[in-house]
Amino acid sequence: MAAARSLWSGVLTCPLSADKPSIIVSRREINDGETVTLTCTVPIDYRGGDCRLFRERSRIPFRLMTATDYLCDFQLTSQELLGRRPVGSKIFFKCDYHLQQYTSVSSDVSAVTVRGSSPSPGLSVSRRFLSPDDSVEVTCSPPLRSVSTCHFYRDEIHVAEGPCRRNLTGKQLSIWEESTVLLPVNMTCRYDPHKHLHIRSEPSNHNLLFVVDASRVSSPVDCKVSVDDDQLAVFGDGSWTFAGEDGPTVTLRLTNSGPTSDETCGEVQSETRPA
């Protein structure tokens, strides 16, 4: 180490390839208002020199730090990182270090995305019950004139993106789920207001649907499902009966009374339809 420090007793003018710094990023994506740590690693004993952080293609550093060891930690808020760029941008940066007349080669370029958010859209559905082969029209309504893309979710699982009004089949809504007689589907949507910026809306209101596969039973089934009061108000009182191609039916009753001793659809054994 003493030998390394002695190099700085004179003036260095030739960069050494072995002296190339590197960047460590605490998070590749942050939300607007959050903080990220960018660490410039110094490969030699460089105490007393300056670590310099550059944004985009600028040749002028936007942050300087005197090196006291082998790591220079730059803690930046989202606004400091963005500078004049809008929220939703992906910011590229690099670093080097400088002492007297010596400047190291630059590190590799790295990036941090500053994500933004927009107000929630509204979500509406054309029906509440469907079979695996049926489809439901879902409409995501952003509070903007035009948006880039809409995203649809089932219980936080992304199931579709593209136009804000589209048809989704029961099979699409059942993705990653085992075959079952009754699958509750809690749907939400979001939208991207800009094509070239990383901005996504807050989630929409929830809509409860049921994918009913009567072909999974070999005899009639009468079952009860407990739902929240607000969802029960949407469905209303009553019962719904669904028939498979081979005759057996599934009758569904919704309640807010919680689990009961009655048979529930979740307890029905799924069966493969006879060939």
Side-chain angles (χ1 to χ4, degrees), residues 226-246:
S226 178
V227 298
D228 294 335
D229 287 343
D230 58 341
Q231 294 293 345
L232 188 63
V234 172
F235 284 89
D237 296 329
S239 62
W240 297 264
T241 299
F242 310 89
E245 293 181 5
D246 299 326

Side-chain angles (χ1 to χ4, degrees), residues 17 29 39 48 66 78 87 91 130 145 147 191 209 273 275:
S17 60
E29 293 185 357
T39 300
T66 299
S78 59
V87 172
I91 308 301
L130 68 162
R145 287 187 177 182
V147 300
Y191 63 91
L209 288 73
R273 179 169 29 177

Side-chain angles (χ1 to χ4, degrees), residues 27 31 51 65 67 81 86 89 105 108 113 153 161 163 165 170 207 219 226 235 244 259 267 269:
R27 298 167 62 188
N31 294 320
C51 295
M65 178 179 293
L81 190 65
S89 297
V105 295
D108 292 333
T113 299
Y153 301 84
E161 65 179 89
R165 175 178 292 177
N207 271 274
S219 59
S226 178
F235 284 89
E267 296 168 349
Q269 291 293 324

Side-chain angles (χ1 to χ4, degrees), residues 21-25 38-41 53 93-95 107-108 110:
S22 60
I23 286 281
I24 299 173
V25 183
L38 312 179
T39 300
C40 187
T41 67
L53 193 62
F93 54 87
K94 60 185 177 181
C95 73
S107 69
D108 292 333
S110 192

Side-chain angles (χ1 to χ4, degrees), residues 9 19 23 46 91 115 218:
S9 60
D19 295 346
I23 286 281
Y46 184 61
I91 308 301
R115 288 193 171 275
S218 56

